[in-house]
Amino acid sequence: MLLPILLLSAAGFTVLTTEFVIVGLLPAIARDLAVTIPQAGLLVTLFAFTVAMFGPFLTAYFARFERRKLFITILIMFGLANTVAALAPNIWVMAIARLIPALGLPVFWALASETAVDIVGPDYAGRAIAKIGFGIVCATVFGIPVGTLISDAFGWRSAFAILAVIAFAKALLLFVYLPKTSLHQHQVSFASQFKILRSPLMIGHVVLSILVFSGMFTAYTYLADILERLAGFNGTVVGWCLMGFGAVGLIGNSLGGRAVDRHPLGASVLFCAFMIAGMVSLVPNIHSPLGLAVAMGIWGVTQAALFLVSHVRLMKAAPEAPAFAASLNIAGANLGIGLGAMIGGRVIDSAGLSFLGFAAAGFILLSVFLAMVLMTLKPRETCAQAS
């Protein structure tokens, strides 16, 4: 049953690249649409907040639908949205093009994760989702930086046009090769899924995801701008730097998949601690090739690991409704992404690019403290309160 997981991983590459490719394109989009970098950054916030607001409800509703048709429909929707983005004449049309796929991303990611766990069983959830997550890592290894390189060579609209073609192609592949048998067999009622929110531990896990991703994207949203303005790199060099950042994420994806199966909260604390080190050391080493490489390497490894760790952490906290729990993580993560993009923009306007790493590290430090508090809560007690 490895083929369905690999197909979903390939589709996940397209889905997540659509969300995050804009990180490398922000400077070019801002110039072409005549807006500031922080204003262009609001496109990241719009996408993220849409996912956060509607993700859990849409996932709970669409969990009853046949997976193959659902996944194909979502990819077609992504293809159409990227086509609109490629043709967008102004920031408002671009905003619409970002809004449409934001409705499909949480449904795809949560239900694809659940499908992978169904295939291998809950004991290997971390490793199964790591295979799905491989598509996410590839989105950062290849999708975002290649999008940046394409933008530098042919314009940012070309990046979205190519993404549209890829989305349609992936939909066709799923139609041909994804079996109908890769479907979750034990459906939980719409109302029952929301009962897990009565658990204080579950609420704590969601808040932890919000903090982690707020910290990540306070700085990561503007990483391309940091490399352009502070390091003095051109678009091509920025693209290769982002590719290196994503490439080391392959290590983080593997480490995260193994660590989260052993101790989800412990893995969160470990990777958060190292992420702080990478973030705060980036700007001080911005003109040192070795220092910059080490700082970006640590940040890249831990960021990829925390994508996976956060996702599996929520699913393991609610085994009775794993897809809905995954959607809660996606909602919390995207709320954090949106907040991070907004806060990062405010930091740039008020203090400058050089302070982004420290502001981001503050959120990650709060994440460490919260994870340690959650370790003291007993699942049996919180489950009893939720029943």
Side-chain angles (χ1 to χ4, degrees):
M1 297 299 292
L2 180 62
L3 179 59
I5 295 180
L6 294 179
L7 288 171
L8 292 174
S9 178
F13 166 85
T14 305
V15 169
L16 269 295
T17 298
T18 296
E19 178 174 13
F20 296 129
V21 70
I22 198 169
V23 169
L25 307 181
L26 277 183
I29 290 174
R31 286 191 294 266
D32 193 38
L33 300 184
V35 295
T36 66
I37 289 288
Q39 286 172 336
L42 291 176
L43 293 171
V44 177
T45 298
L46 172 66
F47 194 110
F49 280 1
T50 301
V51 172
M53 289 176 61
F54 298 103
F57 301 99
L58 291 173
T59 300
Y61 178 77
F62 284 105
R64 71 191 73 182
F65 285 73
E66 199 272 315
R67 298 293 190 265
R68 180 169 171 266
K69 292 180 181 178
L70 183 63
F71 293 153
I72 291 170
T73 300
I74 290 172
L75 281 170
I76 291 173
M77 182 173 67
F78 270 71
L80 294 173
N82 283 320
T83 300
V84 173
L87 301 173
N90 55 54
I91 193 70
W92 301 108
V93 175
M94 190 67 184
I96 294 172
R98 299 298 293 167
L99 178 67
I100 296 171
L103 297 172
L105 181 143
V107 178
F108 178 89
W109 179 220
L111 296 181
S113 301
E114 182 191 62
T115 301
V117 175
D118 282 347
I119 292 171
V120 303
D123 290 340
Y124 297 96
R127 297 177 198 184
I129 297 175
K131 290 182 174 64
I132 299 292
F134 184 75
I136 297 175
V137 177
C138 284
T140 58
V141 174
F142 300 111
I144 296 174
V146 169
T148 305
L149 293 172
I150 291 172
S151 172
D152 189 57
F154 306 106
W156 62 269
R157 296 179 187 278
S158 299
F160 283 108
I162 292 172
L163 262 180
V165 173
I166 292 174
F168 290 131
K170 296 288 178 62
L172 179 61
L173 286 174
L174 290 183
F175 177 77
V176 175
Y177 294 109
L178 186 66
K180 291 183 179 180
T181 52
S182 58
L183 172 66
H184 189 56
Q185 301 297 326
H186 306 289
Q187 298 296 337
V188 181
S189 70
F190 187 89
S192 296
Q193 295 180 69
F194 281 88
K195 288 182 180 179
I196 66 175
L197 288 173
R198 295 164 59 187
S199 165
L201 182 60
M202 179 58 63
I203 297 299
H205 276 290
V206 174
V207 174
L208 179 56
S209 290
I210 294 172
L211 288 174
V212 167
F213 281 83
S214 292
M216 281 186 194
F217 282 82
T218 293
Y220 183 64
T221 301
Y222 304 99
L223 181 56
D225 199 33
I226 290 173
L227 295 174
E228 278 196 14
R229 288 206 278 161
L230 297 187
F233 297 155
N234 60 34
T236 301
V237 176
V238 169
W240 286 112
C241 287
L242 292 177
M243 186 170 291
F245 183 94
V248 297
L250 293 170
I251 301 172
N253 188 62
S254 177
L255 294 176
R258 294 179 179 277
V260 74
D261 278 334
R262 295 190 182 97
H263 198 301
L265 288 169
S268 297
V269 171
L270 175 66
F271 291 117
C272 280
F274 277 99
M275 177 175 277
I276 291 172
M279 284 180 163
V280 300
S281 61
L282 181 72
V283 172
N285 289 281
I286 199 73
H287 296 298
S288 167
L290 178 60
L292 180 61
V294 171
M296 289 188 67
I298 294 173
W299 185 359
V301 168
T302 54
Q303 179 153 306
L306 283 167
F307 263 98
L308 177 64
V309 168
S310 298
H311 200 68
V312 179
R313 174 170 51 76
L314 265 293
M315 295 182 74
K316 284 180 174 286
E320 69 275 22
F324 184 67
S327 74
L328 291 175
N329 173 68
I330 295 167
N334 277 274
L335 179 58
I337 290 170
L339 288 172
M342 290 178 64
I343 292 167
R346 294 291 294 174
V347 171
I348 292 172
D349 286 338
S350 60
L353 276 171
S354 60
F355 288 90
L356 279 178
F358 296 97
F363 282 103
I364 303 300
L365 185 59
L366 289 176
S367 302
V368 172
F369 291 142
L370 178 56
M372 295 175 70
V373 170
L374 293 178
M375 287 181 190
T376 65
L377 297 180
K378 296 180 180 180
R380 285 179 298 181
E381 291 181 0
T382 55
C383 287
Q385 294 173 20
S387 63

